[in-house]
């Protein structure tokens, strides 16, 4: 497989944030890629990104005002958690991670990862990224329950509705990435998005307000057609929401998102200071168990 990147890099210059973030604000969804000369990409990777090392994330977070974050381990590194664990080591207790794990991972390894800051296991149900599957996810659930971990689910509109009833029956917390990747063009009233809103009645469910570009049908900034989805989630289940950049935005279909612009959209849609604190600070603190 070629080593040349097949993904665009993130923007070099971003819009400044419109407001200061509350203390302890957390970016709950970003990736670390490479650097490949230190952390090689997996041979069977589904895509080849440009390097996006943790040092770049730290610069981004300083620009935006985040002091905490959650590394979502990417498929291009397979089950090799070295770059993610290195990021946790550099993060000095202010960062957590969600891992990709093989079905035969040992309990000893799970305990070690918990000590190092891993708080969940991710499963992809998007066709071009699929890893594991439902049987592996269901078998992992009782193993991570004693650790207080969650299942992180990357679905799309085609898979979301069938996944939600099964996830709710597992008895462990779960997070739906990128607002379920429900098509914003179909509106808040679409069957898939109404199923997502139904999670407000399930206390173990969380939804990430992230990937605004991934739900948009416009393919260009500022992806305004996705704002109605954010507003509906804000009104329905503010105590179950998380916010993330999705930096460095691998495999985007249209214009590269501007992380400052994405944050400013959230701040504009959530003008209340207490609500911002709940979504950016309190909810992540609960789910990822940050120290005070």
């Amino acid at each position: 497989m070629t080593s040349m990147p097949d993904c665009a890099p993130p923007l070099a210059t971003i819009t400044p944030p419109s407001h200061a973030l509350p203390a302890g604000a957390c970016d709950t969804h970003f990736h670390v890629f490479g650097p490949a000369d230190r952390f090689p990409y997996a041979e069977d990777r589904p895509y080849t990104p440009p390097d996006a090392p943790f040092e770049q994330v730290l610069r981004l977070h300083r620009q935006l005002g985040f002091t905490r974050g959650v590394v979502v381990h990417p498929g291009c590194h397979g089950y090799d958690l070295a770059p993610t664990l290195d990021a946790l080591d550099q993060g000095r207790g202010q960062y957590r991670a969600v891992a990709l794990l093989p079905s035969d991972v040992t309990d000893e390894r799970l305990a070690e990862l918990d000590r190092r800051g891993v708080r969940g296991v991710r499963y992809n149900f998007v066709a071009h990224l699929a890893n594991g599957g439902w049987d592996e996810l269901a078998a992992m659930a009782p193993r991570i329950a004693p650790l207080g971990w969650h299942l992180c689910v990357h679905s799309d509109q085609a898979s979301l509705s069938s996944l939600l009833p099964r996830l709710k029956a597992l008895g462990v917390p779960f997070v739906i990435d990128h607002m379920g990747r429900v098509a914003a063009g179909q509106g808040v009233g679409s069957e898939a998005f109404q199923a997502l809103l139904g999670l407000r009645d399930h206390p173990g469910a969380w939804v990430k307000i992230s990937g605004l570009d991934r739900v948009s049908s416009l393919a260009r900034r500022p992806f305004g057609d996705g704002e109605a989805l954010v507003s509906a989630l804000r009104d329905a289940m503010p105590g179950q929401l998380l916010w993330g950049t999705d930096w460095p935005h691998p495999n985007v279909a249209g214009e590269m998102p501007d992380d400052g612009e994405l944050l400013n959209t959230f701040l504009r849609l959530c003008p209340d200071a207490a609500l911002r604190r709940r979504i950016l600070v309190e909810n992540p603190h609960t789910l990822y168990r940050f120290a005070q």
Side-chain angles (χ1 to χ4, degrees):
M1 181 181 289
T2 177
S3 60
M4 292 295 292
D6 52 25
C7 302
L11 297 180
T13 303
I14 62 170
T15 302
S18 58
H19 296 77
L21 300 188
C26 181
D27 173 4
T28 68
H29 194 107
F30 67 87
H31 308 288
V32 172
F33 297 142
D37 60 357
R38 185 179 175 200
F39 302 116
Y41 300 118
E43 288 294 324
D44 59 348
R45 60 192 178 273
Y47 58 92
T48 303
D51 285 350
F54 187 62
E55 292 78 7
Q56 287 187 30
V57 178
L58 289 177
R59 286 197 296 271
L60 174 73
H61 285 169
R62 282 195 294 269
Q63 285 178 279
L64 296 178
F66 290 101
T67 55
R68 292 173 174 169
V70 181
V71 189
V72 177
H73 186 77
C76 61
H77 278 294
Y79 294 128
D80 180 6
L81 299 182
T84 292
L85 295 177
D86 177 71
L88 292 181
D89 291 343
Q90 292 188 60
R92 301 179 183 275
Q94 297 305 301
Y95 284 78
R96 297 288 185 261
V98 172
L100 299 182
L101 295 175
S103 58
D104 61 354
V105 63
T106 65
D107 290 342
E108 290 77 16
R109 176 64 165 167
L110 291 176
E112 175 204 351
L113 294 175
D114 183 67
R115 289 191 295 271
R116 297 188 69 174
V118 175
R119 294 293 181 261
V121 189
R122 194 184 199 213
Y123 292 89
N124 283 294
F125 293 91
V126 178
H128 70 285
L129 295 173
N131 74 290
W134 178 260
D135 290 344
E136 286 192 20
L137 180 153
M140 185 66 72
R143 299 189 61 199
I144 65 173
L147 297 169
W149 287 16
H150 64 274
L151 298 163
C152 182
V153 177
H154 185 198
S155 67
D156 55 19
Q157 185 155 309
S159 58
L160 179 66
S161 295
S162 64
L163 285 169
L164 292 182
R166 291 185 286 174
L167 287 167
K168 289 190 284 188
L170 289 177
V172 295
F174 62 90
V175 175
I176 302 297
D177 284 346
H178 306 326
M179 299 182 280
R181 295 189 68 159
V182 174
Q186 296 188 14
V188 170
S190 69
E191 181 179 353
F193 192 73
Q194 285 298 308
L196 191 67
L197 287 180
L199 294 177
R200 63 182 174 270
D201 300 320
H202 187 79
W206 303 80
V207 177
K208 280 182 190 163
I209 303 173
S210 57
L212 197 66
D213 60 297
R214 300 190 189 278
V215 303
S216 174
S217 60
L218 301 179
R220 63 181 183 274
R221 298 191 300 271
F223 314 109
D225 59 335
E227 291 186 14
L229 305 188
V230 176
S231 295
L233 288 164
R234 172 203 65 200
D235 293 343
M237 48 195 299
Q240 297 165 263
L241 299 182
L242 307 158
W243 191 89
T245 57
D246 192 29
W247 186 92
H249 311 284
N251 301 302
V252 297
E255 287 186 355
M256 180 60 61
D258 176 331
D259 293 286
E261 192 174 66
L262 292 174
L263 177 60
N264 288 342
T265 295
F266 167 78
L267 295 173
R268 175 169 49 80
L269 295 176
C270 296
D272 179 72
L275 179 61
R276 291 178 182 173
R277 177 172 172 78
R278 189 171 194 182
I279 296 173
L280 295 177
V281 181
E282 295 168 8
N283 292 349
H285 180 83
T286 298
L287 183 64
Y288 301 105
R289 305 196 316 273
F290 286 99
Q292 294 293 343

